Amino acid sequence: MYDRLAARVTTSLEHIQLPSAEQIWRLLDVMDVGLLVTDPMRRIIYVNATFTRESGYTLDEVQGHTCAVLQGPATDPTDIEVMRRALDRGEGFSRVVLNYRKDGRPIHYRVRVQPLYEGTILRYFVGVQEDYSETYAALERLGRWAHVDSLTGLGNRRAFDRALDQALAGTTAVQLVLLDLNDFKQVNDERGHQAGDQLLVEIAQALTGVLDGGGSAYRLGGDEFAALLPSGAAPVEERLREALAALEPEAVRAAVGVARAPDEARTAPALFRLADSRMYRQKVGTRG
């Protein structure tokens, strides 16, 4: 039985007409992903029509060049090094890379490259590149939203922690300002949460206005805010209180605590504790 089945399969295969080399190239040209083929020295020997449409480069313009012709000033050197090492080893890779079109416009590609061997001899590298720009932009937006307070538009606690760590890792002195509202719960209870949310938005705008581009503002959560600005910047406490006093309801007041690095503290936890303790003492004193 198996012999008869094998004979039928063999007979069927004999009637299959394999495409010629010219037909194969024509098939590759109509694929909706960019294709390129290089020799073992990474010199381009073929690109398909989709590659030309997306990049602007024809085969005549890139033939004999390496893929470095597609890179530009903002291409990540780490990406270049990772790809180079894989190719040096005769291995494939998959990576999202920033390249440039012929007209100079940047484009993010998801690049997949595989080596093609004949026996043990490396003959070609075959690359597939897909336009990843829209997906990359969407991921960038998600990344930004993950660091933004949705109500006020200020940076959130995650953004604040990262910014504070980066500031303390540098050599520039920094000033941390913490702000906490007094009796904010009373606003929510008496006027409703919508009024409370509106007040938080107005406080965020007041804080940003006081900084006037000289620092960065954050909402840490609830009615707690923070700002980071150069240590030599003019004191903001009095200006901040004046800005808050102009808001409705006028009874809303805030406690403010300030600490400076590296003069008063050198680590993020120590700096935050110092500013927080000063803010708390002021809050208790105000209530008293």
Side-chain angles (χ1 to χ4, degrees):
M1 181 180 68
Y2 293 109
D3 291 340
R4 290 197 300 272
L5 179 59
R8 289 177 183 175
V9 171
T10 302
T11 302
S12 299
L13 290 176
E14 289 175 351
H15 295 289
I16 296 176
Q17 183 177 0
L18 296 176
S20 65
E22 181 181 352
Q23 290 172 322
I24 290 175
W25 293 122
R26 290 173 60 188
L27 289 171
L28 295 178
D29 255 348
V30 299
M31 293 186 67
D32 61 355
V33 293
L35 294 174
L36 63 86
V37 180
T38 77
D39 63 18
M41 302 302 295
R42 278 95 95 175
R43 293 172 300 211
I44 297 172
I45 59 177
Y46 169 79
V47 298
N48 71 346
T50 302
F51 175 94
T52 297
R53 184 173 64 252
E54 291 181 347
S55 70
Y57 287 103
T58 65
L59 176 59
D60 290 339
E61 291 171 320
V62 296
Q63 194 168 25
H65 295 276
T66 69
C67 290
V69 71
L70 305 174
Q71 297 160 6
T75 303
D76 191 339
T78 301
D79 290 332
I80 296 174
E81 182 64 15
V82 168
M83 294 186 292
R84 184 189 65 80
R85 288 181 179 179
L87 297 176
D88 285 346
R89 295 191 300 265
E91 299 174 354
F93 64 83
S94 176
R95 201 168 185 87
V96 175
V97 181
L98 175 64
N99 281 340
Y100 286 79
R101 297 179 175 92
K102 181 181 176 181
D103 60 11
R105 289 181 296 159
I107 180 172
H108 281 92
Y109 279 116
R110 177 180 290 280
V111 179
R112 296 191 299 273
V113 173
Q114 287 295 332
L116 184 59
Y117 286 86
E118 289 184 2
T120 59
I121 301 175
L122 175 63
R123 294 296 188 189
Y124 307 100
F125 286 108
V126 180
V128 177
Q129 59 180 36
E130 299 173 84
D131 188 344
Y132 198 70
S133 298
E134 290 187 7
T135 303
Y136 186 87
L139 293 175
E140 283 280 286
R141 288 193 295 272
L142 288 174
R144 288 194 295 270
W145 291 339
H147 292 82
V148 173
D149 176 60
S150 58
L151 175 63
T152 64
L154 299 181
N156 60 15
R157 182 59 186 258
R158 182 183 300 176
F160 167 77
D161 289 340
R162 184 175 65 176
L164 181 57
D165 288 340
Q166 290 175 345
L168 295 178
T171 58
T172 305
V174 65
Q175 182 180 174
L176 168 62
V177 179
L178 295 182
L179 180 150
D180 184 270
L181 299 182
N182 295 332
D183 303 321
F184 177 71
K185 183 176 182 299
Q186 184 176 343
V187 176
N188 282 330
D189 291 343
E190 295 181 357
R191 302 177 59 184
H193 286 278
Q194 186 173 358
D197 288 348
Q198 179 59 34
L199 179 60
L200 292 175
V201 171
E202 292 174 358
I203 290 169
Q205 293 170 346
L207 178 57
T208 303
V210 167
L211 296 179
D212 194 25
S216 50
Y218 307 87
R219 182 187 176 207
L220 304 185
D223 58 354
E224 299 178 56
F225 294 81
L228 293 173
L229 57 160
S231 185
V236 299
E237 297 98 311
E238 191 59 36
R239 286 181 291 144
L240 187 53
R241 288 194 180 92
E242 292 174 358
L244 295 179
L247 301 179
E248 293 287 347
E250 296 179 0
V252 171
R253 292 168 295 179
V256 180
V258 181
R260 294 171 177 81
D263 295 343
E264 298 179 313
R266 293 182 177 273
T267 66
L271 186 68
F272 192 91
R273 282 196 302 268
L274 181 58
D276 188 61
S277 65
R278 290 172 175 171
M279 180 184 69
Y280 181 74
R281 285 199 299 269
Q282 189 181 112
K283 193 177 185 76
V284 172
T286 302
R287 285 175 177 169

